[in-house]
Amino acid sequence: MIRAVKGTRDILPPASAVWNHVESVARRIFRAYNYHEIRTPIFEETALFTRGVGEETDIVSKEMYTFEDRDGGSLTLRPENTAPVIRSYIEHRMDQLPGLQKLYYIGPMFRRERPQKGRYRQFFQIGAEAIGSESPAVDAEAIEMVVEILTASGLDGFGLLINSVGCPECRPVFIAALRERLKDVASTMCRDCQRRVETNPLRVLDCKVPEDQPIIETLPSILDYLNESCKVHFEAVKRYLDERNISYTVKPRLVRGLDYYTRTTFEIVHGSLGAQNSVLGGGRYDGLAESLGSKVRAPGIGFSIGEDRLVMTVEEKHAAVDRLSLFIAPIDESKFSDCALMAREIRRSGTRVELAAPGKLKKLLEQANKAGAVDAMLVFDDHYELKNMETGEQQTLTRQELVDKFTCKKL
RNA sequence: GUGGCUUUAGCUCAGUCGGCAGAGCAUCGGGUUGUGGUCCCGAGGGUCGUGGGUUCGAGCCCCACAAGCCACCCCA
Protein backbone atom coordinates (compact mmCIF):
# COMPACT_ATOMS: atom_id res chain seq x y z
CA MET A 1 0.00 0.00 0.00
CA ILE A 2 1.31 3.40 -0.97
CA ARG A 3 0.52 6.06 1.59
CA ALA A 4 0.94 9.82 1.75
CA VAL A 5 4.54 10.51 2.77
CA LYS A 6 5.38 11.40 6.34
CA GLY A 7 4.34 14.89 7.30
CA THR A 8 2.01 15.34 4.32
CA ARG A 9 -1.71 14.74 4.22
CA ASP A 10 -4.80 14.75 2.05
CA ILE A 11 -7.38 17.44 2.69
CA LEU A 12 -10.71 15.78 2.04
CA PRO A 13 -14.30 16.99 2.10
CA PRO A 14 -15.87 18.24 4.26
CA ALA A 15 -12.65 19.74 5.70
CA SER A 16 -11.67 21.14 2.30
CA ALA A 17 -14.71 23.45 2.52
CA VAL A 18 -13.20 25.07 5.61
CA TRP A 19 -9.96 25.65 3.71
CA ASN A 20 -11.91 27.27 0.89
CA HIS A 21 -13.77 29.42 3.38
CA VAL A 22 -10.57 30.68 4.98
CA GLU A 23 -8.98 31.34 1.60
CA SER A 24 -11.94 33.22 0.21
CA VAL A 25 -12.14 35.39 3.34
CA ALA A 26 -8.43 36.17 2.96
CA ARG A 27 -8.77 37.01 -0.74
CA ARG A 28 -11.71 39.29 -0.05
CA ILE A 29 -9.80 41.24 2.58
CA PHE A 30 -6.58 41.37 0.55
CA ARG A 31 -8.60 42.88 -2.24
CA ALA A 32 -10.16 45.45 0.07
CA TYR A 33 -6.68 46.54 1.20
CA ASN A 34 -5.57 46.72 -2.46
CA TYR A 35 -3.22 43.75 -2.36
CA HIS A 36 -2.74 41.70 -5.55
CA GLU A 37 -1.91 38.03 -5.89
CA ILE A 38 1.57 36.85 -6.86
CA ARG A 39 2.36 33.23 -7.72
CA THR A 40 5.98 32.18 -7.56
CA PRO A 41 7.47 28.74 -8.32
CA ILE A 42 7.38 25.91 -5.80
CA PHE A 43 11.13 25.41 -6.20
CA GLU A 44 13.94 27.91 -6.51
CA GLU A 45 17.71 27.99 -6.71
CA THR A 46 19.03 26.89 -3.33
CA ALA A 47 21.15 30.03 -3.03
CA LEU A 48 18.00 32.15 -2.75
CA PHE A 49 17.25 30.67 0.64
CA THR A 50 20.78 30.26 1.96
CA ARG A 51 21.43 33.94 1.26
CA GLY A 52 17.96 35.26 2.02
CA VAL A 53 16.85 33.27 5.06
CA GLY A 54 20.36 32.82 6.45
CA GLU A 55 22.93 30.05 6.32
CA GLU A 56 22.91 29.53 10.08
CA THR A 57 19.15 29.33 10.58
CA ASP A 58 17.53 25.99 11.39
CA ILE A 59 15.41 26.25 8.27
CA VAL A 60 18.42 26.39 5.97
CA SER A 61 20.86 24.27 7.93
CA LYS A 62 18.65 21.25 8.54
CA GLU A 63 15.12 21.53 7.22
CA MET A 64 15.26 22.18 3.48
CA TYR A 65 14.27 19.75 0.74
CA THR A 66 17.26 20.31 -1.51
CA PHE A 67 18.02 18.21 -4.55
CA GLU A 68 20.36 18.20 -7.49
CA ASP A 69 18.84 19.01 -10.85
CA ARG A 70 19.78 16.88 -13.84
CA ASP A 71 22.21 19.55 -15.03
CA GLY A 72 23.97 19.64 -11.67
CA GLY A 73 22.31 22.77 -10.28
CA SER A 74 20.99 22.83 -6.74
CA LEU A 75 17.26 23.35 -6.30
CA THR A 76 15.17 23.66 -3.14
CA LEU A 77 11.47 23.31 -2.42
CA ARG A 78 10.52 26.68 -0.95
CA PRO A 79 10.55 26.62 2.87
CA GLU A 80 9.00 30.11 2.99
CA ASN A 81 7.88 32.65 0.44
CA THR A 82 9.26 36.05 1.37
CA ALA A 83 12.63 35.48 -0.30
CA PRO A 84 10.98 34.23 -3.51
CA VAL A 85 8.66 37.25 -3.62
CA ILE A 86 11.59 39.63 -3.17
CA ARG A 87 13.50 37.71 -5.86
CA SER A 88 10.58 38.21 -8.17
CA TYR A 89 10.29 41.89 -7.22
CA ILE A 90 13.93 42.47 -8.11
CA GLU A 91 13.87 40.30 -11.24
CA HIS A 92 10.87 42.11 -12.67
CA ARG A 93 12.13 45.56 -11.62
CA MET A 94 8.98 46.26 -9.62
CA ASP A 95 10.87 49.09 -7.95
CA GLN A 96 10.26 50.93 -11.24
CA LEU A 97 6.49 50.60 -10.84
CA PRO A 98 4.71 53.51 -9.20
CA GLY A 99 4.05 53.33 -5.48
CA LEU A 100 4.12 50.45 -3.03
CA GLN A 101 3.90 46.90 -4.27
CA LYS A 102 1.31 45.12 -2.16
CA LEU A 103 1.36 41.39 -2.95
CA TYR A 104 -0.24 38.31 -1.42
CA TYR A 105 0.14 34.57 -1.92
CA ILE A 106 -1.50 31.33 -0.84
CA GLY A 107 0.31 28.04 -1.22
CA PRO A 108 2.36 25.15 0.13
CA MET A 109 5.77 25.42 1.81
CA PHE A 110 8.14 22.56 2.68
CA ARG A 111 10.29 21.95 5.73
CA ARG A 112 11.63 18.61 6.83
CA GLU A 113 10.83 18.71 10.54
CA ARG A 114 9.50 16.00 12.81
CA PRO A 115 5.70 16.23 12.43
CA GLN A 116 3.48 16.97 15.41
CA LYS A 117 0.29 18.86 16.17
CA GLY A 118 0.09 21.87 13.84
CA ARG A 119 3.38 21.05 12.15
CA TYR A 120 3.68 19.34 8.79
CA ARG A 121 6.40 18.86 6.20
CA GLN A 122 4.15 20.29 3.54
CA PHE A 123 2.16 23.09 5.09
CA PHE A 124 0.22 26.03 3.70
CA GLN A 125 0.78 29.69 4.21
CA ILE A 126 -1.39 32.67 3.43
CA GLY A 127 0.99 35.59 3.30
CA ALA A 128 1.45 39.14 2.11
CA GLU A 129 4.32 41.53 1.45
CA ALA A 130 4.25 45.33 1.15
CA ILE A 131 7.46 46.32 -0.60
CA GLY A 132 8.96 49.73 -1.30
CA SER A 133 8.49 51.74 1.87
CA GLU A 134 10.04 51.99 5.31
CA SER A 135 7.09 53.91 6.70
CA PRO A 136 5.65 52.66 9.99
CA ALA A 137 2.24 53.43 8.49
CA VAL A 138 2.71 50.41 6.23
CA ASP A 139 3.53 48.24 9.25
CA ALA A 140 0.37 49.35 11.00
CA GLU A 141 -1.81 48.69 7.97
CA ALA A 142 -0.35 45.23 7.46
CA ILE A 143 -0.95 44.32 11.09
CA GLU A 144 -4.48 45.69 10.98
CA MET A 145 -5.20 43.70 7.83
CA VAL A 146 -4.04 40.43 9.28
CA VAL A 147 -6.15 40.97 12.39
CA GLU A 148 -9.11 41.54 10.08
CA ILE A 149 -8.41 38.32 8.17
CA LEU A 150 -8.14 36.20 11.30
CA THR A 151 -11.24 37.70 12.85
CA ALA A 152 -13.30 37.34 9.66
CA SER A 153 -12.16 33.72 9.33
CA GLY A 154 -13.79 32.99 12.66
CA LEU A 155 -10.76 33.07 14.95
CA ASP A 156 -11.23 34.68 18.35
CA GLY A 157 -9.29 34.84 21.55
CA PHE A 158 -5.92 35.36 19.89
CA GLY A 159 -3.10 37.55 21.14
CA LEU A 160 -0.97 39.97 19.10
CA LEU A 161 2.66 40.25 20.18
CA ILE A 162 4.97 42.89 18.75
CA ASN A 163 8.59 43.87 19.11
CA SER A 164 11.40 45.63 17.34
CA VAL A 165 14.61 43.75 16.62
CA GLY A 166 16.51 46.84 15.49
CA CYS A 167 18.64 47.17 12.40
CA PRO A 168 22.17 46.20 11.27
CA GLU A 169 23.43 49.30 13.08
CA CYS A 170 21.99 48.77 16.55
CA ARG A 171 21.37 45.02 16.76
CA PRO A 172 25.06 44.01 16.79
CA VAL A 173 25.59 46.37 19.73
CA PHE A 174 22.79 44.64 21.57
CA ILE A 175 24.02 41.15 20.72
CA ALA A 176 27.48 42.08 21.97
CA ALA A 177 26.01 43.33 25.23
CA LEU A 178 23.88 40.20 25.52
CA ARG A 179 26.87 37.93 24.92
CA GLU A 180 28.88 39.84 27.48
CA ARG A 181 26.19 39.38 30.10
CA LEU A 182 25.62 35.72 29.17
CA LYS A 183 29.30 34.91 29.69
CA ASP A 184 28.72 35.30 33.42
CA VAL A 185 25.41 33.50 33.78
CA ALA A 186 25.33 30.91 30.99
CA SER A 187 26.88 28.19 33.12
CA THR A 188 23.84 28.27 35.39
CA MET A 189 21.35 27.91 32.55
CA CYS A 190 19.96 24.90 30.69
CA ARG A 191 22.01 22.94 28.16
CA ASP A 192 20.14 24.41 25.19
CA CYS A 193 20.83 27.93 26.37
CA GLN A 194 24.51 27.21 26.78
CA ARG A 195 24.56 26.06 23.17
CA ARG A 196 22.56 29.10 22.04
CA VAL A 197 25.06 31.51 23.52
CA GLU A 198 27.35 30.42 20.71
CA THR A 199 24.91 29.69 17.90
CA ASN A 200 22.23 32.31 18.33
CA PRO A 201 22.24 34.33 21.55
CA LEU A 202 18.91 35.97 20.70
CA ARG A 203 17.18 32.63 21.13
CA VAL A 204 18.18 32.49 24.78
CA LEU A 205 15.57 35.18 25.33
CA ASP A 206 12.91 32.82 24.01
CA CYS A 207 13.83 29.89 26.28
CA LYS A 208 10.86 28.30 28.02
CA VAL A 209 12.67 26.41 30.78
CA PRO A 210 11.11 27.69 34.04
CA GLU A 211 14.40 27.63 35.98
CA ASP A 212 15.99 29.96 33.44
CA GLN A 213 13.28 32.61 33.60
CA PRO A 214 14.71 34.56 36.59
CA ILE A 215 18.02 34.84 34.75
CA ILE A 216 16.35 35.86 31.50
CA GLU A 217 14.55 38.62 33.38
CA THR A 218 17.89 40.20 34.18
CA LEU A 219 19.22 40.10 30.62
CA PRO A 220 19.36 43.32 28.62
CA SER A 221 16.36 44.22 26.42
CA ILE A 222 16.73 45.01 22.74
CA LEU A 223 14.39 47.94 23.22
CA ASP A 224 17.03 49.69 25.34
CA TYR A 225 19.56 49.35 22.54
CA LEU A 226 17.53 50.61 19.58
CA ASN A 227 19.16 53.57 17.87
CA GLU A 228 17.26 56.78 17.42
CA SER A 229 15.67 56.01 14.04
CA CYS A 230 14.62 52.49 15.06
CA LYS A 231 13.17 53.83 18.30
CA VAL A 232 11.18 56.52 16.48
CA HIS A 233 9.96 53.91 13.99
CA PHE A 234 8.79 51.51 16.71
CA GLU A 235 7.07 54.28 18.66
CA ALA A 236 5.18 55.27 15.51
CA VAL A 237 4.04 51.70 14.83
CA LYS A 238 2.69 51.42 18.38
CA ARG A 239 0.98 54.81 18.16
CA TYR A 240 -0.71 53.91 14.86
CA LEU A 241 -1.96 50.64 16.35
CA ASP A 242 -3.28 52.49 19.41
CA GLU A 243 -5.11 54.94 17.18
CA ARG A 244 -6.80 52.05 15.40
CA ASN A 245 -7.79 50.43 18.69
CA ILE A 246 -5.77 47.34 17.97
CA SER A 247 -4.62 45.80 21.22
CA TYR A 248 -1.19 44.22 21.42
CA THR A 249 1.47 43.17 23.87
CA VAL A 250 5.02 44.40 23.49
CA LYS A 251 7.24 41.40 24.01
CA PRO A 252 10.89 42.50 24.00
CA ARG A 253 11.92 38.86 24.00
CA LEU A 254 10.07 38.08 20.78
CA VAL A 255 12.74 36.92 18.36
CA ARG A 256 12.36 35.43 14.93
CA GLY A 257 14.11 32.48 13.39
CA LEU A 258 14.87 34.06 10.06
CA ASP A 259 17.88 36.33 9.64
CA TYR A 260 16.26 38.89 7.39
CA TYR A 261 14.04 40.56 9.94
CA THR A 262 14.71 44.18 10.95
CA ARG A 263 12.78 46.57 13.16
CA THR A 264 9.12 45.52 13.54
CA THR A 265 8.39 41.87 14.24
CA PHE A 266 5.05 40.44 15.28
CA GLU A 267 3.32 37.19 16.02
CA ILE A 268 -0.21 36.04 16.74
CA VAL A 269 -0.76 33.18 19.16
CA HIS A 270 -3.82 31.10 20.01
CA GLY A 271 -4.26 28.88 23.03
CA SER A 272 -5.95 25.91 21.38
CA LEU A 273 -3.00 25.06 19.15
CA GLY A 274 -0.89 23.08 21.60
CA ALA A 275 2.84 23.61 21.63
CA GLN A 276 2.82 25.10 18.13
CA ASN A 277 0.73 28.02 19.34
CA SER A 278 1.77 30.55 16.73
CA VAL A 279 -0.78 31.03 13.98
CA LEU A 280 1.09 33.84 12.27
CA GLY A 281 4.52 35.41 12.14
CA GLY A 282 5.78 38.47 10.37
CA GLY A 283 8.02 41.44 10.32
CA ARG A 284 10.02 44.01 8.43
CA TYR A 285 12.99 43.07 6.24
CA ASP A 286 14.58 46.26 4.99
CA GLY A 287 17.89 44.67 4.02
CA LEU A 288 16.70 41.47 2.38
CA ALA A 289 16.94 42.68 -1.22
CA GLU A 290 20.56 43.74 -0.78
CA SER A 291 21.52 40.44 0.80
CA LEU A 292 20.11 38.78 -2.31
CA GLY A 293 22.50 40.88 -4.37
CA SER A 294 20.13 43.61 -5.44
CA LYS A 295 21.55 47.05 -6.11
CA VAL A 296 18.20 48.68 -5.47
CA ARG A 297 16.74 48.75 -2.02
CA ALA A 298 13.45 47.01 -1.44
CA PRO A 299 12.44 47.65 2.16
CA GLY A 300 9.29 45.83 3.06
CA ILE A 301 7.10 44.21 5.65
CA GLY A 302 5.20 40.99 5.45
CA PHE A 303 3.62 38.17 7.35
CA SER A 304 2.45 34.66 6.83
CA ILE A 305 -0.47 32.85 8.37
CA GLY A 306 -0.11 29.14 9.11
CA GLU A 307 -3.21 28.06 7.21
CA ASP A 308 -3.18 24.53 8.67
CA ARG A 309 -3.23 25.99 12.17
CA LEU A 310 -5.89 28.56 11.35
CA VAL A 311 -8.15 25.91 9.84
CA MET A 312 -7.57 23.72 12.90
CA THR A 313 -8.91 26.39 15.23
CA VAL A 314 -11.96 27.42 13.20
CA GLU A 315 -12.92 23.96 11.95
CA GLU A 316 -15.84 23.19 14.24
CA LYS A 317 -17.60 26.49 13.64
CA HIS A 318 -18.00 25.98 9.91
CA ALA A 319 -19.69 22.62 9.55
CA ALA A 320 -21.66 21.78 6.41
CA VAL A 321 -23.38 25.06 5.63
CA ASP A 322 -23.51 24.49 1.88
CA ARG A 323 -26.07 21.71 1.63
CA LEU A 324 -27.37 19.96 -1.45
CA SER A 325 -30.43 21.97 -2.50
CA LEU A 326 -32.12 19.56 -4.86
CA PHE A 327 -32.02 15.84 -5.56
CA ILE A 328 -33.68 14.90 -8.85
CA ALA A 329 -35.12 11.38 -8.81
CA PRO A 330 -36.12 9.96 -12.22
CA ILE A 331 -38.56 7.22 -11.26
CA ASP A 332 -39.51 6.55 -14.84
CA GLU A 333 -36.59 5.72 -17.13
CA SER A 334 -38.28 7.48 -20.07
CA LYS A 335 -38.17 10.80 -18.17
CA PHE A 336 -34.42 10.69 -17.58
CA SER A 337 -33.48 12.94 -20.51
CA ASP A 338 -36.07 15.47 -19.35
CA CYS A 339 -34.51 15.34 -15.87
CA ALA A 340 -31.07 15.97 -17.34
CA LEU A 341 -32.28 19.06 -19.16
CA MET A 342 -33.92 20.42 -16.01
CA ALA A 343 -30.81 19.68 -13.98
CA ARG A 344 -28.60 21.61 -16.37
CA GLU A 345 -30.93 24.57 -16.43
CA ILE A 346 -31.09 24.78 -12.64
CA ARG A 347 -27.37 24.16 -12.24
CA ARG A 348 -26.63 27.07 -14.57
CA SER A 349 -28.17 29.38 -11.99
CA GLY A 350 -25.68 28.14 -9.42
CA THR A 351 -27.93 25.87 -7.39
CA ARG A 352 -26.31 22.70 -6.06
CA VAL A 353 -28.17 19.81 -7.76
CA GLU A 354 -27.68 16.05 -7.81
CA LEU A 355 -29.18 14.11 -10.71
CA ALA A 356 -29.59 10.43 -9.91
CA ALA A 357 -29.62 7.51 -12.30
CA PRO A 358 -33.14 6.14 -12.92
CA GLY A 359 -34.28 3.73 -10.26
CA LYS A 360 -36.91 2.64 -7.81
CA LEU A 361 -38.60 5.35 -5.77
CA LYS A 362 -37.61 3.83 -2.46
CA LYS A 363 -33.96 3.60 -3.45
CA LEU A 364 -33.88 7.13 -4.78
CA LEU A 365 -35.38 8.61 -1.63
CA GLU A 366 -32.84 6.70 0.39
CA GLN A 367 -30.09 8.24 -1.74
CA ALA A 368 -31.59 11.71 -1.39
CA ASN A 369 -31.68 11.29 2.34
CA LYS A 370 -28.06 10.14 2.54
CA ALA A 371 -26.96 12.97 0.28
CA GLY A 372 -28.45 15.43 2.77
CA ALA A 373 -30.71 17.03 0.18
CA VAL A 374 -33.09 19.79 1.25
CA ASP A 375 -35.66 18.86 -1.41
CA ALA A 376 -36.20 15.88 -3.66
CA MET A 377 -37.87 16.23 -7.06
CA LEU A 378 -39.81 13.06 -7.89
CA VAL A 379 -40.27 12.66 -11.62
CA PHE A 380 -43.05 10.23 -12.53
CA ASP A 381 -44.14 9.26 -16.02
CA ASP A 382 -46.90 11.87 -16.11
CA HIS A 383 -46.17 14.50 -13.43
CA TYR A 384 -43.65 16.03 -10.98
CA GLU A 385 -43.77 16.12 -7.19
CA LEU A 386 -41.49 18.04 -4.85
CA LYS A 387 -40.78 16.51 -1.45
CA ASN A 388 -39.31 18.42 1.47
CA MET A 389 -36.88 15.98 3.02
CA GLU A 390 -37.08 17.52 6.48
CA THR A 391 -40.85 17.63 6.92
CA GLY A 392 -41.88 15.01 4.40
CA GLU A 393 -44.38 17.46 2.88
CA GLN A 394 -45.04 16.85 -0.77
CA GLN A 395 -46.73 18.86 -3.51
CA THR A 396 -47.44 18.40 -7.19
CA LEU A 397 -45.93 21.12 -9.36
CA THR A 398 -45.54 21.75 -13.06
CA ARG A 399 -42.19 21.51 -14.79
CA GLN A 400 -42.02 25.29 -15.19
CA GLU A 401 -42.87 25.93 -11.54
CA LEU A 402 -40.06 23.65 -10.44
CA VAL A 403 -37.46 25.21 -12.73
CA ASP A 404 -38.48 28.70 -11.59
CA LYS A 405 -38.40 27.75 -7.93
CA PHE A 406 -34.82 26.55 -8.10
CA THR A 407 -33.38 28.96 -10.61
CA CYS A 408 -34.38 32.19 -8.89
CA LYS A 409 -32.70 31.06 -5.71
CA LYS A 410 -29.16 32.17 -6.41
CA LEU A 411 -29.29 34.82 -9.12
C1' G B 1 17.83 15.04 15.39
C1' U B 2 15.92 13.27 20.84
C1' G B 3 12.02 11.20 24.09
C1' G B 4 7.01 9.15 25.59
C1' C B 5 2.50 6.78 24.01
C1' U B 6 -0.09 4.21 20.13
C1' U B 7 -0.96 0.66 15.72
C1' U B 8 -6.76 -5.41 15.07
C1' A B 9 -12.59 -4.30 9.21
C1' G B 10 -13.83 2.24 5.98
C1' C B 11 -14.46 4.53 11.42
C1' U B 12 -14.49 3.72 16.95
C1' C B 13 -12.75 -0.20 19.60
C1' A B 14 -13.14 -5.50 22.27
C1' G B 15 -10.10 -9.85 22.03
C1' U B 16 -9.40 -13.45 29.08
C1' C B 17 -4.27 -18.17 30.45
C1' G B 18 -0.64 -18.30 23.89
C1' G B 19 -5.52 -22.52 21.14
C1' C B 20 -11.03 -21.28 14.75
C1' A B 21 -10.69 -13.07 13.88
C1' G B 22 -15.11 -10.19 16.95
C1' A B 23 -18.85 -5.98 18.10
C1' G B 24 -21.12 -1.25 17.16
C1' C B 25 -21.37 2.34 13.42
C1' A B 26 -20.67 2.83 8.12
C1' U B 27 -21.24 0.37 3.09
C1' C B 28 -24.13 -2.94 -0.16
C1' G B 29 -28.58 -6.15 -0.72
C1' G B 30 -33.47 -7.75 0.98
C1' G B 31 -38.29 -7.01 4.03
C1' U B 32 -43.39 -7.71 -3.45
C1' U B 33 -47.36 -2.29 -6.60
C1' G B 34 -45.43 5.03 -5.58
C1' U B 35 -42.20 7.13 -0.50
C1' G B 36 -36.30 8.14 2.87
C1' G B 37 -34.81 8.68 8.18
C1' U B 38 -36.77 4.43 12.85
C1' C B 39 -37.24 -1.07 12.77
C1' C B 40 -36.19 -6.39 11.09
C1' C B 41 -33.11 -9.93 8.09
C1' G B 42 -28.74 -10.80 5.29
C1' A B 43 -23.99 -9.95 2.73
C1' G B 44 -19.28 -8.06 1.61
C1' G B 45 -15.04 -6.16 3.92
C1' G B 46 -8.76 -8.50 7.70
C1' U B 47 -1.21 -10.17 5.36
C1' C B 48 -4.10 -8.29 13.42
C1' G B 49 1.52 -1.79 10.87
C1' U B 50 6.13 -4.50 8.50
C1' G B 51 10.11 -8.05 9.08
C1' G B 52 12.39 -11.51 12.15
C1' G B 53 12.54 -14.68 16.74
C1' U B 54 10.49 -18.11 20.75
C1' U B 55 6.65 -22.06 20.56
C1' C B 56 3.36 -28.03 18.56
C1' G B 57 0.66 -23.37 17.97
C1' A B 58 1.46 -16.00 18.33
C1' G B 59 -3.37 -10.56 17.56
C1' C B 60 -1.27 -11.81 22.56
C1' C B 61 5.65 -13.14 24.51
C1' C B 62 10.82 -11.12 22.62
C1' C B 63 13.84 -8.04 18.99
C1' A B 64 14.24 -4.61 14.99
C1' C B 65 12.06 -1.26 11.73
C1' A B 66 8.03 1.83 9.97
C1' A B 67 3.91 4.93 10.53
C1' G B 68 0.61 8.01 13.64
C1' C B 69 -0.02 11.18 17.87
C1' C B 70 2.16 14.24 21.68
C1' A B 71 6.37 16.77 23.68
C1' C B 72 11.57 18.70 23.12
C1' C B 73 13.96 21.48 19.38
C1' C B 74 12.25 24.96 15.92
C1' C B 75 8.59 27.57 13.58
C1' A B 76 3.75 29.13 10.52
Side-chain angles (χ1 to χ4, degrees):
Chain A
M1 245 261 281
I2 297 176
R3 301 162 40 100
V5 310
K6 187 182 180 115
T8 71
R9 57 191 181 143
D10 302 310
I11 296 163
L12 307 173
S16 52
V18 183
W19 286 73
N20 278 313
H21 163 75
V22 163
E23 288 172 17
S24 68
V25 164
R27 287 180 195 279
R28 192 186 80 224
I29 292 170
F30 282 137
R31 184 180 177 283
Y33 279 82
N34 197 28
Y35 275 69
H36 294 268
E37 183 171 13
I38 181 170
R39 301 192 187 196
T40 61
I42 295 291
F43 53 85
E44 297 270 1
E45 276 187 38
T46 301
L48 174 62
F49 301 112
T50 54
R51 302 215 311 244
V53 176
E55 198 96 47
E56 299 306 317
T57 60
D58 278 21
I59 291 176
V60 169
S61 64
K62 50 193 188 196
E63 295 173 2
M64 293 204 303
Y65 281 98
T66 296
F67 58 97
E68 188 180 309
D69 198 2
R70 301 174 83 103
D71 63 6
S74 181
L75 302 178
T76 294
L77 261 37
R78 62 184 190 190
E80 61 98 51
N81 207 28
T82 297
V85 169
I86 296 300
R87 194 248 332 123
S88 180
Y89 177 95
I90 297 164
E91 183 170 337
H92 299 287
R93 294 308 311 259
M94 290 190 223
D95 59 297
Q96 298 297 298
L97 296 171
L100 260 189
Q101 290 305 303
K102 303 209 288 190
L103 304 167
Y104 79 87
Y105 58 85
I106 297 175
M109 307 295 157
F110 306 86
R111 293 182 200 173
R112 198 183 185 290
E113 297 181 89
R114 187 83 172 260
Q116 72 182 75
K117 183 171 182 161
R119 193 168 79 183
Y120 304 95
R121 290 182 173 183
Q122 173 176 305
F123 60 101
F124 289 78
Q125 289 191 335
I126 301 175
E129 315 290 345
I131 310 161
S133 166
E134 293 186 49
S135 169
V138 179
D139 301 40
E141 185 184 85
I143 292 171
E144 175 190 298
M145 178 171 72
V146 85
V147 167
E148 291 289 302
I149 291 172
L150 296 179
T151 304
S153 299
L155 190 73
D156 50 23
F158 55 82
L160 169 63
L161 310 174
I162 67 167
N163 190 26
S164 173
V165 295
C167 65
E169 186 188 310
C170 50
R171 187 163 32 176
V173 179
F174 168 67
I175 291 176
L178 184 61
R179 271 222 170 86
E180 189 61 30
R181 177 83 181 93
L182 283 170
K183 255 197 279 181
D184 303 330
V185 295
S187 58
T188 63
M189 302 183 77
C190 70
R191 286 188 78 86
D192 285 322
C193 281
Q194 296 186 31
R195 178 178 51 78
R196 290 180 185 119
V197 172
E198 297 307 318
T199 59
N200 191 348
L202 286 175
R203 290 234 78 90
V204 173
L205 301 172
D206 209 26
C207 177
K208 287 157 199 123
V209 175
E211 292 76 40
D212 285 358
Q213 296 310 308
I215 299 166
I216 292 169
E217 298 294 329
T218 70
L219 296 173
S221 165
I222 177 82
L223 296 180
D224 296 329
Y225 285 79
L226 295 181
N227 64 19
E228 198 52 32
S229 59
C230 286
K231 197 175 293 178
V232 167
H233 191 274
F234 189 48
E235 291 305 317
V237 172
K238 289 191 290 183
R239 190 171 74 246
Y240 292 151
L241 291 177
D242 291 336
E243 287 164 2
R244 292 167 196 222
N245 291 317
I246 294 168
S247 54
Y248 56 85
T249 304
V250 175
K251 195 183 165 201
R253 292 167 9 203
L254 177 68
V255 293
R256 304 236 55 98
L258 291 76
D259 284 355
Y260 54 61
Y261 284 116
T262 55
R263 292 187 169 171
T264 314
T265 59
F266 57 101
E267 182 168 326
I268 286 179
V269 293
H270 194 271
S272 74
L273 288 167
Q276 312 301 313
N277 68 347
S278 169
V279 74
L280 164 144
R284 182 162 274 289
Y285 43 81
D286 293 339
L288 177 54
E290 286 97 323
S291 60
L292 292 177
S294 169
K295 277 175 229 135
V296 298
R297 273 174 66 67
I301 182 160
F303 60 81
S304 60
I305 298 169
E307 190 176 1
D308 305 73
R309 295 178 187 178
L310 177 57
V311 166
M312 201 188 304
T313 60
V314 302
E315 213 155 22
E316 284 80 34
K317 300 176 191 171
H318 293 276
V321 279
D322 184 24
R323 286 182 54 188
L324 176 61
S325 302
L326 179 65
F327 184 96
I328 300 179
I331 288 125
D332 192 282
E333 209 280 332
S334 68
K335 300 300 280 187
F336 182 63
S337 56
D338 178 45
C339 287
L341 292 173
M342 287 175 82
R344 185 171 64 192
E345 193 172 345
I346 296 168
R347 283 166 166 165
R348 278 177 175 161
S349 74
T351 302
R352 188 188 284 261
V353 173
E354 182 59 47
L355 170 63
K360 283 200 235 165
L361 178 56
K362 184 182 170 71
K363 269 277 100 76
L364 288 164
L365 277 171
E366 209 174 303
Q367 287 171 28
N369 189 54
K370 282 172 183 163
V374 177
D375 287 298
M377 185 196 295
L378 313 180
V379 182
F380 298 101
D381 56 349
D382 58 349
H383 72 292
Y384 307 88
E385 290 180 34
L386 187 67
K387 183 184 186 77
N388 181 309
M389 295 300 290
E390 309 275 288
T391 64
E393 276 172 50
Q394 212 163 309
Q395 52 182 324
T396 301
L397 294 171
T398 67
R399 189 185 194 285
Q400 194 57 50
E401 283 170 337
L402 284 163
V403 170
D404 288 346
K405 181 176 170 66
F406 287 97
T407 48
C408 7
K409 254 186 179 173
K410 292 190 178 177
L411 281 181

